[in-house]
Amino acid sequence: MAEENVKFATRPTGVGEMFQLLRDGQPRTRADLAATTGQARSTIAARVDLLLAAGLVTPTGEAVSTGGRPPATFAFNPGARVVLAVDLGATHVRLAVTDLAGTVLSEHHEPLAIADGPDVVLDRVATIGLTLISDAGRRLADLAGVGVGLPGPVEHSSGRPINPPIMPGWDDADVPGHLGQLLGVPVLVDNDVNIMALGEHATEYPQVDHLLFVKVATGIGAGIISDGQILRGAQGAAGDLGHIAAPGGSDVPCRCGNTGCLEAVASGQAVATRLRAQGFDVATSVDVVALVRGGNLVASQAVREAGREIGGVLAACVSMLNPSMIVIGGVLAEAGEHLLAGIREVVYRRSLPLATQHLRIVASQTKGRAGVLGASAMAADHFLSSEAIDNLIA
Amino acid sequence: MAEENVKFATRPTGVGEMFQLLRDGQPRTRADLAATTGQARSTIAARVDLLLAAGLVTPTGEAVSTGGRPPATFAFNPGARVVLAVDLGATHVRLAVTDLAGTVLSEHHEPLAIADGPDVVLDRVATIGLTLISDAGRRLADLAGVGVGLPGPVEHSSGRPINPPIMPGWDDADVPGHLGQLLGVPVLVDNDVNIMALGEHATEYPQVDHLLFVKVATGIGAGIISDGQILRGAQGAAGDLGHIAAPGGSDVPCRCGNTGCLEAVASGQAVATRLRAQGFDVATSVDVVALVRGGNLVASQAVREAGREIGGVLAACVSMLNPSMIVIGGVLAEAGEHLLAGIREVVYRRSLPLATQHLRIVASQTKGRAGVLGASAMAADHFLSSEAIDNLIA
């Protein structure tokens, strides 16, 4: 729109907004930005100077000249700051320090019982975090934020767990307050499946706007990306796939108190229980995967049957949400094609052509790292938002 | 943020953005707006003058003075323009001319077969539209836009139907082009259930961010409001509740080619078929409703049983989407509490407490008008968006 309207403008900076154009990492000249935004060269130049001074943008060389002195190019500098990404499970934790583009600089994985409670667990997280920052050759002053995934429902706005079933002592715990106090930066918290969806989306499929990430492990849950954003619902409980009734109408009791829940018939735990009843020596999802990988036919069939049950519930999700991609992750997805084959079989049979003609159902590409990559993306996105950049520069 | 940063601002106007604050209809002074936005009084005054000149805002009197001349108040003027709202069904059409706040100024309802094809139907819509504008005492020049609901899948970005099963001749029809040519204004198109969700949301529950609207009539479908916006999915097919497998595992054939779809076991048509087999003289959903209202116990039980089947699928939706409100509309909802009782029974039994503790399941309050109210809201929202206002003023 026309420059003569500038008299009505009072938006304070617009630096953060312009910065969003640079987040793809492509080198650009001031003239490129002026052409893209339609804004005055002088305005663009002033904004770029602020971003260069803050280190968020670095010179990247010179563009091809069209005559005269070649114009300087510059690009987003993802190494300007680092974030700490934390993926807490029931019995272990995975942490990484990444740059602002999600490149892992240092990482660590260790057993840690969530049942030890928030004080013990979060203190340990902060201690490991400090070590990882140092391992990455950076200082605490470089830390821009912390992203945390928790194995239970979280009120995203406050970062507090809400009645988490497998996290004794954590109900309403002030996770952002505790870690923020120790590390001095903003702390973003979400449930583990949401951050896995975010990690897979940010790393592998940033161009896919409607994606469903399904974790099949001891339990079953889903993270929903809708219009490029995590869909949380009214209480942050959206994506709770595990307690939808499996189509088979089974009466297997579920830990939630109901019967026939998908989790009770098709989780890694459910498959292990079924195989144990058939005389196999399996305790966990990991044991099931080992059996399948060893070529055991009964185990492969049990996993494929679990896939069919999951497919029945996912067919309903496809009709409701119309995603263009379903990513299957979690330990049981590591059993190879058997789980996916069962899922695909039922989803393609039970959904309408309009919803499945462009639908892809794939295995997770980030493997065990989806959680930390998502926690990193969540913290980096917060730090690099237009508003945050405007505040940082102001 | 500070005024000294104004030098970096080049956002052309900001009139549209400020106007959004006024859309609630509350009278405000220039000082109120300056206080809310943190912007200079001179900037606010210039913007208000532009909105007054465009008629979008009108003087509403004087505020209570704190000494000296009392400051003038002004408010959004919903009568500045009108919109034409069109709700096309399989066999009839409902139209209304409303102001920009959805108040109906004139309306009309008549039989119209969608199977007559887009040329016949859309010409007729335009003709009735012109009459309704005149009935409302307005001129075509006052028309700000048209909103249309169609009984089939629509690609929202283009406004074209995609393989609509009950709309012969409409596949890929340029609905916005046809009506836009005749009436000279922007035309927004969506499927009927999405606009019903929008209408119920805008009129009755504007403060509810996560709402599911379920239409139970000849077919079954849902419109999903998530974070205050219609959730459409990758191909605009989201909310297709009718072809999810009903939990009972029935083998009743469905018109989609599958068996046991919710629509095949619990729609108005399905209930009518079942009652006919029991010797009742019923052909349509309307006949079923009449029978229930007449106190027939068998019909009431059949409707309640349909409610249970619908409840089974809605329980899955509650787990996936975590809405805080489910609104049940469509003809069969007019059978009183029987349908809702069946739905509530199963949803509350089959969903986790976290998802249902604040969930309300209610009957539609807008009755047959949800569609036109939603079409009106869709067209008015488009006309009153920040960008549209900026363009209008520029």
Side-chain angles (χ1 to χ4, degrees):
Chain A
M1 276 176 253
E3 282 293 313
E4 64 260 30
N5 281 329
V6 160
K7 62 182 167 185
F8 300 117
T10 55
R11 270 283 184 109
T13 75
V15 178
E17 210 173 310
M18 190 193 76
F19 174 71
Q20 303 307 315
L21 296 174
L22 290 159
R23 283 196 47 196
D24 63 8
Q26 296 304 310
R28 286 185 178 77
T29 63
R30 291 172 178 80
D32 291 339
L33 286 171
T36 306
T37 61
Q39 291 165 344
R41 285 288 291 273
S42 57
T43 307
I44 297 292
R47 288 176 183 174
V48 169
D49 287 347
L50 287 169
L51 291 169
L52 283 165
L56 288 166
V57 151
T58 43
T60 49
E62 293 176 346
V64 175
S65 173
T66 54
R69 196 166 69 86
T73 63
F74 46 84
F76 170 42
N77 173 24
R81 305 287 284 273
V82 296
V83 300
L84 174 62
V86 184
D87 181 13
L88 278 161
T91 56
H92 44 255
V93 63
R94 183 186 284 264
L95 302 98
V97 165
T98 77
D99 69 12
L100 296 170
T103 303
V104 174
L105 306 175
S106 56
E107 60 184 321
H108 179 77
H109 183 254
E110 71 173 37
L112 184 62
I114 200 90
D116 287 348
D119 288 346
V120 171
V121 168
L122 296 177
D123 284 356
R124 180 68 193 145
V125 161
T127 304
I128 305 172
L130 291 173
T131 307
L132 287 178
I133 292 167
S134 164
D135 288 353
R138 307 297 294 251
R139 297 167 309 135
L140 182 55
D142 295 333
L143 190 65
V146 180
V148 181
L150 293 178
V154 173
E155 185 182 66
H156 183 67
S157 57
S158 69
R160 291 168 182 259
I162 316 166
N163 293 319
I166 63 162
M167 299 173 64
W170 287 78
D171 187 27
D172 203 37
D174 184 7
V175 178
H178 191 121
L179 282 180
Q181 176 99 42
L182 294 172
L183 298 171
V185 292
V187 178
L188 285 290
V189 188
D190 208 336
N191 81 58
D192 55 353
V193 194
N194 280 353
I195 64 160
M196 290 172 86
L198 213 52
E200 195 80 22
H201 182 253
T203 315
E204 302 292 328
Y205 309 107
Q207 77 291 359
V208 175
D209 284 339
H210 302 273
L211 178 149
L212 193 62
F213 182 94
V214 183
K215 178 186 177 185
V216 188
T218 304
I220 297 178
I224 305 167
I225 306 272
S226 175
D227 277 323
Q229 305 287 323
I230 290 279
L231 187 156
R232 301 178 197 283
Q235 272 76 42
D240 196 355
L241 215 67
H243 302 284
I244 294 178
S250 143
D251 57 1
V252 178
C254 181
R255 64 182 166 91
C256 76
N258 242 316
T259 56
C261 294
L262 182 62
E263 191 164 300
V265 302
S267 65
Q269 202 56 56
V271 175
T273 303
R274 202 168 311 138
L275 289 172
R276 244 187 346 263
Q278 295 178 265
F280 291 96
D281 179 25
V282 288
T284 66
S285 311
V286 175
D287 299 336
V288 173
V289 170
L291 212 54
V292 172
R293 287 197 169 162
N296 186 289
L297 209 66
V298 176
S300 301
Q301 285 171 337
V303 168
R304 180 184 281 245
E305 186 52 34
R308 290 193 188 100
E309 296 279 4
I310 295 167
V313 169
L314 286 180
C317 298
V318 166
S319 293
M320 278 310 285
L321 298 168
N322 184 207
S324 56
M325 177 163 280
I326 298 179
V327 180
I328 310 293
V331 172
L332 210 60
E334 293 169 20
E337 279 296 303
H338 303 284
L339 187 70
L340 257 75
I343 290 172
R344 289 192 182 116
E345 177 188 323
V346 180
V347 169
Y348 287 109
R349 188 176 72 221
R350 272 297 341 168
S351 307
L352 290 186
L354 177 61
T356 54
Q357 60 184 346
H358 301 296
L359 175 67
R360 289 166 62 198
I361 303 177
V362 300
S364 167
Q365 298 301 305
T366 53
K367 309 294 175 192
R369 269 184 170 178
V372 286
L373 292 173
S376 160
M378 178 168 66
D381 277 352
H382 179 78
F383 177 73
L384 296 174
S385 70
S386 299
E387 298 73 22
I389 295 292
D390 282 345
N391 285 331
L392 186 76
I393 299 281
Chain B
M1 277 176 250
E3 282 293 313
E4 63 262 30
N5 280 328
V6 161
K7 62 181 168 185
F8 301 118
T10 56
R11 268 284 184 108
T13 74
V15 178
E17 210 172 309
M18 191 194 74
F19 174 71
Q20 303 308 314
L21 296 174
L22 291 159
R23 283 195 48 196
D24 63 7
Q26 296 305 309
R28 286 185 178 77
T29 64
R30 289 171 179 82
D32 291 339
L33 286 171
T36 306
T37 62
Q39 291 164 345
R41 285 289 289 274
S42 56
T43 306
I44 296 292
R47 288 176 182 173
V48 169
D49 286 347
L50 287 168
L51 290 169
L52 284 164
L56 288 166
V57 150
T58 42
T60 48
E62 293 177 347
V64 175
S65 174
T66 54
R69 196 165 69 85
T73 63
F74 46 84
F76 169 41
N77 173 23
R81 306 287 284 274
V82 296
V83 299
L84 174 62
V86 185
D87 182 13
L88 279 160
T91 56
H92 45 256
V93 63
R94 182 185 284 263
L95 302 97
V97 164
T98 77
D99 69 12
L100 295 171
T103 303
V104 174
L105 307 176
S106 56
E107 60 185 321
H108 179 76
H109 183 255
E110 71 174 35
L112 183 63
I114 200 91
D116 287 346
D119 289 345
V120 171
V121 169
L122 297 177
D123 284 355
R124 178 70 192 144
V125 161
T127 304
I128 305 172
L130 292 173
T131 307
L132 287 178
I133 292 167
S134 165
D135 288 352
R138 306 297 294 252
R139 297 167 308 136
L140 182 56
D142 294 333
L143 189 66
V146 181
V148 181
L150 294 178
V154 173
E155 185 183 67
H156 182 67
S157 57
S158 69
R160 291 167 181 260
I162 316 166
N163 293 318
I166 62 161
M167 299 173 65
W170 287 77
D171 186 27
D172 203 38
D174 185 8
V175 178
H178 191 120
L179 281 180
Q181 177 99 41
L182 294 172
L183 298 171
V185 293
V187 179
L188 285 288
V189 188
D190 208 336
N191 81 58
D192 55 354
V193 193
N194 280 351
I195 65 160
M196 289 172 87
L198 213 52
E200 194 82 21
H201 182 252
T203 316
E204 302 292 329
Y205 309 107
Q207 77 293 358
V208 175
D209 284 338
H210 302 273
L211 177 150
L212 194 60
F213 182 94
V214 183
K215 178 187 176 185
V216 188
T218 305
I220 297 179
I224 306 167
I225 304 272
S226 174
D227 277 323
Q229 304 288 323
I230 289 279
L231 187 157
R232 302 179 196 282
Q235 271 78 41
D240 195 355
L241 215 68
H243 302 284
I244 294 178
S250 142
D251 57 2
V252 177
C254 181
R255 64 181 166 92
C256 77
N258 242 316
T259 56
C261 295
L262 182 62
E263 191 164 300
V265 302
S267 64
Q269 202 54 58
V271 174
T273 303
R274 202 169 310 139
L275 290 172
R276 243 184 348 260
Q278 294 179 263
F280 291 97
D281 178 25
V282 287
T284 65
S285 310
V286 176
D287 299 336
V288 173
V289 171
L291 211 54
V292 172
R293 287 197 170 162
N296 185 289
L297 209 66
V298 177
S300 301
Q301 284 171 338
V303 167
R304 182 184 279 247
E305 186 52 34
R308 289 194 189 100
E309 295 279 3
I310 295 167
V313 169
L314 286 180
C317 297
V318 166
S319 293
M320 278 309 285
L321 298 168
N322 185 206
S324 55
M325 177 164 279
I326 298 178
V327 181
I328 311 293
V331 173
L332 211 61
E334 293 168 22
E337 280 295 302
H338 304 284
L339 187 71
L340 257 76
I343 290 173
R344 289 192 182 116
E345 176 188 324
V346 179
V347 169
Y348 287 109
R349 189 176 72 221
R350 271 299 339 170
S351 307
L352 290 185
L354 177 61
T356 53
Q357 61 185 344
H358 300 297
L359 176 67
R360 289 167 61 199
I361 303 177
V362 300
S364 169
Q365 298 302 305
T366 53
K367 307 295 176 192
R369 269 183 169 179
V372 287
L373 291 173
S376 160
M378 178 167 66
D381 278 351
H382 180 77
F383 177 72
L384 297 174
S385 70
S386 298
E387 298 72 22
I389 295 293
D390 282 344
N391 286 330
L392 187 76
I393 299 280

